[in-house]
Amino acid sequence: MNQPLTSSRLASLDALRGFDMLMISGGGAFIHSLGGKTNISFIDAIAAQFHHPAWDGFTFYDFIFPLFLFMAGVSLAFSLKSALEKGVPQSELRKKLFKRMLILFFFGLLDKNAPLDIFDPAHIRYGTVLGRIGIATFLVALLYMNTNWKQQLYTAIGILVLYYAGLMLISVGSYGGGDLTFEGNLAGWVDRTFMPGRLKQKTYDELALSTQLPATCLTIFGCLIGQLLQTPSTSSFKLQRLMVFGGIGIATGLVWGVVFPVNKHLWSSSFILLTGGMACLMIALFYWLIDIRNYTRWAFFFKVIGMNSLVIYLACRFVNFGETSRLLFAGLYSHTTEKWHEVFNALGGLILVWLVLYVMYRHKIFVKV
């Protein structure tokens, strides 16, 4: 059990990515729909964790996208190490990653602006989930290829400290430094001043220019964990480090949150450390169960999703699985109490999503960018 793991690909990473994509592609909405249906307080409490707070605060649903950014960094460390060991020139890798960034940016525009009107750029939302992932992985790849792990860690810490200092010390119009309100924060001012197009929240956009660097720190932290997982150390040593780093991240994020509130909209430094620590613990759990203990059967469900994460993300945007579920299953669940209809319909949509991905998996169709 404690022998070094030498596989270039860890099964736990695909499974965890699948778990994350399940939450993004309807799993979170399904769990949220259970709220108030069962009269069981425990289930209601879990359902309440699957919506975003209006401003400050934190729920488990806030963790889903940061986990994906973190996982992107872990995967990046594996793919770059493999490519460099095969003798692929850094210049070629940079071109490939730059092209990937542009492709993800374009898909992100389609996702957030469909139907996309390229002749009305003032009303296009340029801040997107996929664009953020593409930019973060490109920047972290450049960092990985030109620095060592210590320099990468110091870069992330430096960004988080400077981001905190900027929001606390720089005044915005009539608002003083340290104003972290919806209207008065520095990040929102940067978005309004420099970001072209439409901002989601009008006065700012949580996926726009200002919060890209702190969000990228999650990918840096993920890349560092990816490097740890590829060391020749024993699996028990790696597991211990994952748990230690997870605990440090969570504790530091909560303490920092006293003066710099945990806030997904601002991608506050405390939010980055809290979610980064949680990501470490999630990887530790999946790594222990799948790669160390070899409990793999239960993970197949998630692996099917994780192997085609981009497909399912875009499919859930452009294919109405909910309507298909209604057409196929409403004849069955219509005989239940009406308040349960949305729950069963959401469950039917999830089943359809998984079956599509399963067919792709069985035919070895994996779409990568």
Side-chain angles (χ1 to χ4, degrees):
M1 184 178 73
N2 290 330
Q3 293 302 310
L5 296 174
T6 57
S7 172
S8 61
R9 189 181 188 96
L10 295 176
S12 56
L13 301 184
D14 289 327
L16 181 54
R17 187 183 301 107
F19 166 82
D20 200 43
M21 286 308 305
L22 177 67
M23 297 299 105
I24 293 173
S25 60
F30 167 70
I31 296 173
H32 185 61
S33 71
L34 291 172
K37 303 295 194 306
T38 63
N39 295 321
I40 300 175
S41 58
F42 175 72
I43 293 179
D44 288 344
I46 294 177
Q49 286 295 310
F50 284 85
H51 75 95
H52 298 300
W55 190 241
D56 289 338
F58 183 80
T59 64
F60 186 79
Y61 209 37
D62 291 335
F63 172 57
I64 301 303
F65 183 33
L67 175 59
F68 197 91
L69 280 170
F70 192 96
M71 291 297 299
V74 177
S75 299
L76 185 67
F78 276 83
S79 60
L80 286 177
K81 184 175 187 292
S82 176
L84 291 171
E85 287 179 345
K86 292 176 182 177
V88 179
Q90 288 194 18
S91 57
E92 184 176 333
L93 289 174
R94 286 194 295 269
K95 290 178 182 178
K96 181 179 179 180
L97 288 162
F98 184 75
K99 180 181 177 181
R100 177 179 182 271
M101 178 180 67
L102 293 180
I103 293 172
L104 287 175
F105 185 79
F106 174 71
F107 280 142
L109 291 181
L110 287 179
D111 171 40
K112 297 300 182 185
N113 297 279
L116 177 63
D117 184 356
I118 61 174
F119 299 106
D120 188 14
H123 291 90
I124 293 176
R125 183 187 176 199
Y126 294 97
T128 70
V129 168
L130 295 178
R132 172 148 295 184
I133 294 170
I135 294 171
T137 50
F138 178 70
L139 293 176
V140 176
L142 296 181
L143 189 66
Y144 175 90
M145 290 187 289
N146 292 282
T147 60
N148 58 43
W149 72 266
K150 288 185 179 180
Q151 292 169 320
Q152 294 160 30
L153 177 62
Y154 295 153
T155 298
I157 294 174
I159 290 172
L160 295 180
V161 171
L162 289 174
Y163 183 63
Y164 167 68
L167 264 65
M168 298 304 291
L169 299 176
I170 299 176
S171 300
V172 176
S174 60
Y175 299 94
D179 190 314
L180 301 178
T181 62
F182 188 89
E183 302 85 1
N185 69 84
L186 175 64
W189 177 84
V190 171
D191 291 345
R192 293 190 298 274
T193 305
F194 300 105
M195 192 73 182
R198 172 172 59 91
L199 302 178
K200 180 183 178 181
Q201 286 92 354
K202 309 300 182 184
T203 59
Y204 76 100
D205 191 316
E206 62 190 17
L207 294 174
L209 181 68
S210 60
T211 56
Q212 179 65 54
L213 279 179
T216 298
C217 291
L218 282 165
T219 308
I220 297 176
F221 291 141
C223 185
L224 290 168
I225 293 302
Q227 293 170 65
L228 167 67
L229 292 173
Q230 293 177 89
T231 62
S233 305
T234 62
S235 55
S236 61
F237 175 86
K238 296 173 187 177
L239 182 64
Q240 291 170 4
R241 288 296 180 270
L242 285 169
M243 295 176 67
V244 169
F245 295 152
I248 291 174
I250 292 173
T252 306
L254 292 175
V255 172
W256 203 345
V258 175
V259 293
F260 193 15
V262 174
N263 186 308
K264 181 182 183 295
H265 298 271
L266 287 174
W267 291 78
S268 62
S269 302
S270 55
F271 173 77
I272 300 299
L273 290 175
L274 173 62
T275 53
M278 291 174 63
C280 283
L281 294 186
M282 286 292 287
I283 290 178
L285 175 62
F286 277 64
Y287 179 68
W288 177 71
L289 287 172
I290 298 173
D291 294 306
I292 296 180
R293 301 295 297 176
N294 202 32
Y295 298 143
T296 58
R297 287 190 175 184
W298 68 275
F300 178 74
F301 175 81
F302 296 119
K303 182 179 179 180
V304 167
I305 303 172
M307 295 296 287
N308 268 306
S309 55
L310 179 62
V311 169
I312 192 54
Y313 182 83
L314 291 175
C316 286
R317 177 69 176 91
F318 293 101
V319 179
N320 193 337
F321 288 101
E323 178 61 15
T324 305
S325 175
R326 186 189 69 79
L327 293 172
L328 290 175
F329 306 126
L332 298 174
Y333 66 67
S334 61
H335 299 286
T336 65
T337 306
E338 185 174 355
K339 70 176 183 178
W340 282 94
H341 290 184
E342 65 169 328
V343 176
F344 290 125
N345 195 70
L347 179 60
L350 279 177
I351 292 172
L352 292 173
V353 165
W354 192 85
L355 287 176
V356 169
L357 293 174
Y358 178 70
V359 170
M360 295 181 68
Y361 181 87
R362 285 297 301 270
H363 289 83
K364 294 181 170 35
I365 301 172
F366 306 116
V367 179
K368 304 292 182 182
V369 177

